[in-house]
């Protein structure tokens, strides 16, 4: 049974859940784009023209962007799929057939960009297949408003997993990791105490094939730069896309977004030299267009399909049998709408403190907790001091100020990279055995971020990396 929902979220209400606009359910994927998207386009145009009244106030509705995985993007646009020669949705670069890999490869960058006017006039031979109802959408750009920079499918499940499998098994033209290397990497991963904000435990390297997207994302942002250095050739390690993806993942680095775009261009340009031209698939090519989407909309975390995939999983869990699937889901959604109790508006003022047994938790900001245990104790202040939280004497916080006790890292150094100054990303090395006791009264806003502690072979070789979503 095929299950294709159309889901949406409201940009101005980031805490509002993902909602369901329509659901297609059948024995196969929808054959007709008109049948699938026609009613949606008509309703969006109506809302765009007339707005909608909520509590007596007229609200204007506009469609900001469409986010989907690669096959779904091709389907809704009525264009060739990702294996076709003219498959790039952002530029006019055509792929060529590689006899060695028997795949379509894209070897160069900086081809002329496609435009909305050119798409509507069908000026790109071999690209469009059939007309799409999206052409009838009011004030919608068919090229710029359909996002290709989907974090989940393009980077985490796409490129990151492909690189890991290639390094481990030698499928990217470089020597495969031996058994001893894999054991060393697994030991390093096992030492990492993942913060409580990370909900999925990192599995060993031998299970890469089964890693979820969130595992690939965690590996990219935190263990990768520390763990991979001793197990990859120098040119391969320097080529890694850690810096670019980290910069594009938060608004804090917005001024560096153009630099990240240049680094992604370099990653794509150097890929045939570092690996081989035969591996230059559509996914690698699309990386040069990621900056365009981030610059136009939001950081990678805000324009990904993660929340929509979670909602799809939730909808699937509403099934109770294989009989009348669509009716089951619609009935469950209707019941939830009917009986859902209105939630009281949350006016939580951070920071707050709670104690359970020996564990003291300080809720610094939303989705940012400090605890007196190994995995949640490290944080960075705005004056770039690394500190370890131990306790607090008060159960209430006065005037937004927090009085805490802990230890300060006395020996802190820079993490050097030949291609980028990691201190600009607030990544440091430190000696976890060189600590000074402190007593500090500070405003929660003085805490810059939470840190993930990546332990090295010696105490002096420990790396501290900001938990991206906690950065301010």
């Amino acid at each position: 049974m095929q299950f294709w929902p159309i889901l949406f979220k409201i940009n101005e209400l980031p805490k509002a859940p993902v909602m369901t606009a329509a659901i297609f359910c059948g024995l196969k994927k929808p054959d007709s784009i008109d049948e699938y998207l026609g009613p949606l386009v008509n309703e969006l145009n109506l809302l765009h023209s007339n707005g909608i009244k909520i509590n007596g106030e007229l609200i204007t509705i506009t469609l900001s962007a469409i986010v989907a995985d690669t096959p779904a993007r091709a389907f809704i646009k009525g264009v060739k799929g990702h294996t076709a020669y003219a498959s790039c949705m952002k530029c006019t670069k055509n792929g060529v057939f590689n006899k060695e890999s028997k795949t379509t490869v894209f070897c160069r960058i900086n081809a002329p960009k496609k435009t909305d006017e050119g798409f509507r006039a069908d000026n790109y031979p071999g690209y469009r297949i059939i007309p799409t109802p999206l052409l009838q959408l009011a004030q919608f750009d068919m090229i710029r408003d359909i996002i290709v920079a989907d974090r989940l499918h393009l980077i985490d499940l796409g490129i990151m997993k492909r690189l890991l499998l290639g390094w481990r098994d030698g499928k990217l033209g470089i020597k495969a990791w031996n058994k001893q290397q894999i054991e060393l990497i697994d030991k390093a991963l096992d030492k990492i105490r993942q913060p409580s904000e990370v909900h999925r435990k990192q599995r060993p390297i031998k299970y890469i094939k089964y890693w979820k997207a969130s595992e690939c994302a965690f590996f990219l942002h935190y263990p990768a730069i520390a763990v991979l250095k001793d197990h990859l050739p120098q040119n391969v390690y320097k080529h890694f896309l850690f810096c670019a993806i980290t910069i594009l993942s938060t608004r804090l680095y917005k001024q560096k977004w153009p630099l990240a775009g240049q680094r992604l261009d370099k990653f794509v340009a150097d890929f045939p030299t570092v690996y081989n031209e035969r591996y230059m698939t559509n996914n690698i090519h699309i990386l040069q267009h990621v900056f365009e989407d981030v610059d136009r909309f939001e950081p990678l975390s805000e324009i990904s399909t993660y929340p929509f995939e979670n909602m799809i999983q939730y909808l699937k869990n509403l099934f109770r049998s294989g009989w009348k699937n669509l009716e089951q889901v619609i009935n469950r959604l209707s019941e939830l709408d009917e009986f859902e109790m209105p939630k009281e508006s949350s006016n939580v003022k951070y920071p707050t403190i709670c104690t359970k047994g020996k564990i003291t938790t300080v809720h610094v900001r939303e989705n940012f907790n400090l605890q007196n245990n190994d995995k949640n104790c490290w944080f960075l202040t705005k004056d770039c001091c690394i500190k370890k939280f131990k306790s607090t004497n008060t159960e209430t916080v006065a005037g937004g100020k927090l009085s805490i006790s802990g230890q300060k890292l006395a020996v802190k150094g820079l993490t050097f990279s030949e291609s980028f100054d990691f201190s600009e990303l607030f990544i440091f090395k430190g000696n976890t055995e060189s600590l000074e006791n402190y007593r500090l009264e500070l405003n929660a806003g003085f805490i810059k971020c939470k840190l993930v502690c990546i332990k090295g072979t010696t105490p002096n070789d420990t790396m501290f990396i900001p938990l991206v979503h906690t950065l301010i």
Side-chain angles (χ1 to χ4, degrees):
M1 181 65 68
Q2 295 291 322
F3 192 72
W4 277 44
I6 298 174
L7 308 173
F8 69 97
K9 59 184 291 192
I10 302 171
N11 286 347
E12 289 80 6
L13 300 175
K15 293 184 181 180
V18 172
M19 291 168 270
T20 306
I23 300 175
F24 176 90
C25 188
L27 293 175
K28 57 181 181 178
K29 295 176 182 179
D31 290 324
S32 167
I33 311 179
D34 291 306
E35 180 186 3
Y36 182 63
L37 289 179
L40 176 75
V41 169
N42 293 336
E43 187 171 1
L44 282 171
N45 283 336
L46 187 65
L47 289 170
H48 185 269
S49 301
N50 303 330
I52 186 172
K53 275 198 173 183
I54 301 176
N55 294 332
E57 184 177 353
L58 184 65
I59 306 296
T60 303
I61 304 293
T62 57
L63 178 62
S64 173
I66 294 178
V67 185
D69 62 14
T70 304
R73 285 198 301 268
F75 172 72
I76 63 175
K77 285 186 70 172
V79 299
K80 294 283 184 71
H82 62 282
T83 58
Y85 296 139
S87 60
C88 182
M89 296 193 175
K90 295 289 186 178
C91 73
T92 56
K93 175 63 184 171
N94 283 348
V96 295
F97 182 74
N98 185 286
K99 294 181 180 178
E100 191 178 359
S101 62
K102 297 181 179 178
T103 58
T104 303
V105 298
F106 297 79
C107 304
R108 297 179 183 175
I109 65 171
N110 298 327
K113 299 289 189 294
K114 286 176 178 168
T115 63
D116 180 65
E117 295 79 9
F119 181 87
R120 293 175 185 275
D122 200 9
N123 290 340
Y124 309 116
Y127 183 52
R128 275 181 57 180
I129 304 174
I130 54 175
T132 170
L134 295 181
L135 291 168
Q136 308 305 318
L137 273 174
Q139 296 183 14
F140 186 77
D141 191 308
M142 290 296 298
I143 302 299
R144 301 177 71 199
D145 291 342
I146 296 182
I147 292 172
V148 298
D150 170 27
R151 173 70 197 256
L152 189 153
H153 296 98
L154 174 65
I155 296 167
D156 297 335
L157 283 181
I159 292 166
M160 190 65 242
K161 183 177 274 193
R162 175 72 185 279
L163 290 175
L164 281 166
L165 286 169
W167 297 333
R168 188 193 69 179
D169 302 334
K171 292 182 178 178
L172 284 174
I174 62 174
K175 187 178 179 181
W177 287 333
N178 56 41
K179 187 177 179 181
Q180 184 181 9
Q181 285 178 299
I182 292 174
E183 288 176 355
L184 289 171
I185 293 172
D186 284 339
K187 283 181 182 178
L189 292 179
D190 195 49
K191 286 182 183 178
I192 299 169
R193 298 292 174 258
Q194 293 178 241
S196 58
E197 291 88 350
V198 179
H199 303 301
R200 189 181 291 276
K201 181 173 172 56
Q202 190 90 64
R203 285 178 283 182
I205 290 291
K206 65 179 180 180
Y207 297 121
I208 289 175
K209 183 179 178 181
Y210 306 105
W211 278 15
K212 298 293 186 181
S214 56
E215 291 175 271
C216 295
F218 181 82
F219 184 88
L220 188 159
H221 282 299
Y222 308 107
I225 58 170
V227 170
L228 296 176
K229 191 170 185 178
D230 297 329
H231 302 288
L232 289 177
Q234 189 177 16
N235 66 322
V236 176
Y237 180 77
K238 289 165 64 176
H239 180 252
F240 188 49
L241 40 63
F242 161 79
C243 291
I245 300 303
T246 299
I247 291 170
L248 293 173
S249 296
T250 172
R251 291 186 186 88
L252 181 71
Y253 302 135
K254 189 166 185 176
Q255 290 184 339
K256 294 185 176 69
W257 283 358
L259 172 63
Q262 294 171 17
R263 293 187 69 84
L264 286 180
D265 285 348
K266 184 168 174 46
F267 178 90
V268 176
D270 292 346
F271 198 90
T273 305
V274 175
Y275 299 103
N276 191 297
E277 187 179 291
R278 62 183 292 188
Y279 304 114
M280 286 285 294
T281 58
N282 185 271
N283 264 5
I284 302 297
H285 171 79
I286 287 176
L287 279 177
Q288 66 180 300
H289 303 303
V290 168
F291 166 68
E292 301 167 29
D293 283 344
V294 171
D295 190 47
R296 180 169 168 79
F297 297 103
E298 298 286 346
L300 287 172
S301 56
E302 301 293 325
I303 56 175
S304 79
T305 55
Y306 272 103
F308 300 103
E309 290 283 351
N310 291 338
M311 184 60 179
I312 289 174
Q313 188 64 35
Y314 172 76
L315 292 175
K316 287 181 178 179
N317 288 336
L318 298 178
F319 292 147
R320 291 294 175 265
S321 72
W323 175 249
K324 293 189 175 181
N325 301 111
L326 184 59
E327 289 87 337
Q328 288 183 62
V329 174
I330 297 302
N331 287 337
R332 297 299 84 75
L333 289 175
S334 300
E335 290 165 5
L336 289 168
D337 286 342
E338 186 72 24
F339 295 106
E340 188 174 289
M341 297 295 291
K343 295 180 180 178
E344 295 183 5
S345 58
S346 176
N347 293 316
V348 179
K349 292 183 179 180
Y350 295 99
T352 60
I353 300 169
C354 72
T355 302
K356 290 184 179 179
K358 295 182 180 180
I359 299 296
T360 300
T361 303
V362 178
H363 301 278
V364 181
R365 296 187 281 274
E366 186 177 6
N367 203 21
F368 177 4
N369 303 326
L370 289 175
Q371 291 179 332
N372 53 341
N373 56 26
D374 286 343
K375 61 182 183 179
N376 294 302
C377 60
W378 297 101
F379 66 95
L380 185 73
T381 57
K382 285 192 172 179
D383 58 357
C384 285
C385 290
I386 297 174
K387 300 192 174 181
K388 184 178 183 180
F389 169 72
K390 293 213 118 181
S391 65
T392 180
N393 290 338
T394 57
E395 294 186 3
T396 58
V397 181
K401 287 194 174 180
L402 187 66
S403 179
I404 59 178
S405 298
Q407 294 174 305
K408 175 183 174 182
L409 206 70
V411 179
K412 184 193 76 174
L414 299 178
T415 299
F416 293 103
S417 167
E418 294 181 15
S419 57
F420 193 82
D421 184 357
F422 282 164
S423 64
E424 293 185 34
L425 303 182
F426 307 104
I427 299 172
F428 302 99
K429 277 189 177 181
N431 188 337
T432 52
E433 293 184 353
S434 176
L435 297 169
E436 299 173 351
N437 291 328
Y438 72 90
R439 179 84 194 163
L440 187 66
E441 186 170 308
L442 51 77
N443 191 293
F446 190 64
I447 299 177
K448 188 165 193 67
C449 64
K450 189 171 182 175
L451 295 171
V452 180
C453 178
I454 311 293
K455 294 183 178 179
T457 53
T458 64
N460 197 41
D461 203 30
T462 302
M463 191 176 291
F464 296 91
I465 303 174
L467 191 60
V468 175
H469 77 270
T470 66
L471 278 163
I472 61 170

